[in-house]
Amino acid sequence: MLELPTSRDACLALDAADPLAAHRDAFALPPGVIYLDGNSLGPLPARTEAVLRDVITRQWGTDLIKSWNTAGWIDLPRRVGDRIGALVGAAPGQVIVADSTSVNLFKVLSAAVSMRPGRTVIVSEPENFPTDLYMAQGLIRQLGDTHSLRLVGPDALAGALGPDVAAVMLTHVNYRSGAMYDMAAVTAQVHAAGALMIWDLAHSAGAVPVALDAAGADLAVGCGYKYLNGGPGAPAFLYVAERHQASFAQPLSGWLGHAAPFAFETEYRPAEGVSRFLCGTPPILSMSALEVGVETVAAAGMAALREKSMALTTLFAARAALRCPSTTPASPADAARRGSQFCLRHPQAYAVMQALIERGVIGDFRTPDILRFGFAPLYVRFVDVWDAVETLADILDTGAWERPEFHARKAVT
Ligand SMILES: *Cc1c(COP(=O)(O)O)cnc(C)c1O
């Protein structure tokens, strides 16, 4: 770990020596903005516009429907899936890009439950991202309430793993606190209880090294528009370990998950392998943008990204403790136990974040009192961390957040 800089100049020196510095040029960041929200919406990669223009004008505009074959559109879900697989420790043929994270959660939960007949409990945690819990609740209703959801915090997980548990669904890096589970240890614990393990990698893919195969994970889902920089509403991905692919039933049995979509048979027959988790026609424009986003991360390598990310969050935590005494940390103190974000609590967090955004430091607010800051090491610099904390300190010291316009809640926080 790097020695922490103690001045703005020392931050500039670290940036000048940063082996990842050039990767910032892979993004079209607006001037004057410190972007600490790549965990919610990754910024626009510099190449995306040209790639999409080609997909639109040449592949779609000129080549029309031929592009399903000539431009390889039909292979995109697997091709981009394998690229994401390389970032999350999955050998080829186990990751596919499709639908949204929420829809993919439904698919993998349904498949997991059907693989553990006689077991009727899905375990998760109350602090999980709500859509994960909502999708489990929806599945349970669909199953006629034969199953139930058991919510326990990380410390109570061991005690919740009875012989009735079919599957455990956890988010690897918590969306609010940034706390990170030990994927291999938890997966082993869940397997020892005879249950299947589902990981949500929304805040992990492209942010921290993940080793799905090595950890023995059964299923996983993840998000394309956060650290993978795929653009607003980018398609999501899902992982099915090869050993499970033949026995998994896909509840959304659409034609592109069929063994022979263009045979137009009357009866559904699932495709071999991870392709059976496709449902309908893939969104080619969005998926093409996601491919560019994934390439921005792959070009840097997860190990180097992780090292810088831990240094960035450590610097932020130390500076905030010094300069913003009215805040309290809401993320683990040990960099190894958190993802690529750091959160602070403040009773007026919403207004404070609005004041920060007005000054060009973009993070986000998570109810009830969390200031959330994501540090994507591809483009966030040490000097950005320094300046962000100084701006926050000024807002807190001067009470700039008290202006009435900072208190009006917007639809998206
Ligand atoms: C962002 C996020 C999602 C997003 O789900 P969508 O279907 O893409 O809206 C799901 N789960 C977690 C843990 C997330 O952080």
Side-chain angles (χ1 to χ4, degrees):
M1 175 72 72
L2 294 160
E3 201 172 313
L4 284 184
T6 54
S7 69
R8 192 173 190 278
D9 281 345
C11 290
L12 290 170
L14 270 185
D15 290 326
D18 174 12
L20 292 176
H23 289 270
R24 187 176 160 87
D25 297 337
F27 294 90
L29 290 161
V33 164
I34 296 177
Y35 195 58
L36 305 180
D37 214 2
N39 50 319
S40 245
L41 174 65
L44 172 67
R47 284 182 51 237
T48 301
E49 192 179 335
V51 168
L52 282 191
R53 194 177 304 120
D54 180 60
V55 174
I56 291 169
T57 58
R58 185 178 59 86
Q59 296 183 8
W60 178 16
T62 304
D63 296 346
L64 294 163
I65 199 166
K66 291 179 285 184
S67 283
W68 282 106
N69 295 308
T70 56
W73 285 354
I74 199 69
D75 302 323
L76 259 186
R78 289 195 69 143
R79 186 168 89 218
V80 183
D82 280 343
R83 292 187 155 219
I84 294 172
L87 298 176
V88 294
Q94 299 176 106
V95 175
I96 197 149
V97 174
D99 304 311
S100 65
T101 307
S102 302
V103 172
N104 287 337
L105 279 163
F106 187 84
K107 291 190 276 190
V108 298
L109 274 166
S110 167
V113 161
S114 69
M115 275 201 68
R116 287 292 180 271
R119 291 174 173 243
T120 57
V121 174
I122 297 168
V123 170
S124 193
E125 60 171 325
E127 295 296 314
N128 203 342
F129 189 81
T131 206
D132 299 50
L133 305 180
Y134 301 162
M135 294 313 289
Q137 291 160 14
L139 173 67
I140 288 167
R141 267 195 306 279
Q142 194 67 27
L143 293 170
D145 292 313
T146 50
H147 289 62
S148 62
L149 186 58
R150 182 179 293 158
L151 300 180
V152 292
D155 296 337
L157 183 61
L161 297 177
D164 54 353
V165 175
V168 177
M169 168 187 67
L170 295 172
T171 299
H172 180 226
V173 173
N174 186 275
Y175 77 104
R176 203 158 25 190
S177 70
M180 183 165 65
Y181 279 100
D182 180 336
M183 182 177 282
V186 172
T187 303
Q189 194 180 18
V190 167
H191 286 172
L196 292 167
M197 185 68 221
I198 301 169
W199 288 107
D200 186 332
L201 305 177
H203 291 276
S204 308
V208 297
V210 174
L212 285 172
D213 286 347
D218 299 295
L219 297 144
V221 299
C223 192
Y225 51 79
K226 292 171 179 163
Y227 291 97
L228 295 179
N229 309 314
F237 67 90
L238 66 81
Y239 161 90
V240 183
E242 194 175 2
R243 64 185 179 281
H244 293 314
Q245 288 178 2
S247 44
F248 267 35
Q250 144 77 300
L252 305 179
S253 44
W255 73 303
L256 281 189
H258 191 278
F262 288 89
F264 297 105
E265 296 169 4
T266 308
E267 289 295 316
Y268 179 76
R269 277 192 300 128
E272 289 296 317
V274 77
S275 293
R276 82 174 50 170
F277 281 82
L278 287 178
C279 181
T281 306
I284 297 304
L285 302 186
S286 309
M287 228 173 256
S288 303
L290 175 60
E291 185 165 38
V292 178
V294 171
E295 283 165 2
T296 62
V297 180
M302 285 313 306
L305 290 174
R306 178 62 173 161
E307 191 182 341
K308 181 177 170 191
S309 144
M310 290 200 293
L312 291 171
T313 55
T314 301
L315 175 64
F316 180 83
R319 292 296 303 163
L322 200 65
R323 300 283 291 125
C324 309
S326 61
T327 66
T328 49
S331 296
D334 178 0
R337 292 196 49 241
R338 61 179 184 245
S340 203
Q341 69 187 61
F342 200 89
C343 298
L344 302 171
R345 283 184 203 282
H346 187 280
Q348 292 294 335
Y350 184 80
V352 171
M353 183 53 74
Q354 298 313 304
L356 259 177
I357 292 170
E358 195 211 41
R359 294 213 196 161
V361 179
I362 302 181
D364 59 22
F365 161 79
R366 284 294 173 262
T367 194
D369 59 356
I370 299 274
L371 298 158
R372 187 172 70 159
F373 301 95
F375 299 89
L378 278 170
Y379 50 86
V380 175
R381 300 166 296 195
F382 288 95
V383 74
D384 295 329
V385 174
W386 185 276
D387 290 346
V389 175
E390 288 307 303
T391 307
L392 176 60
D394 184 68
I395 286 166
L396 295 171
D397 291 348
T398 61
W401 55 268
E402 289 171 30
R403 279 170 30 201
E405 68 264 34
F406 295 146
H407 294 259
R409 294 279 168 117
K410 301 190 172 85
V412 175
T413 63

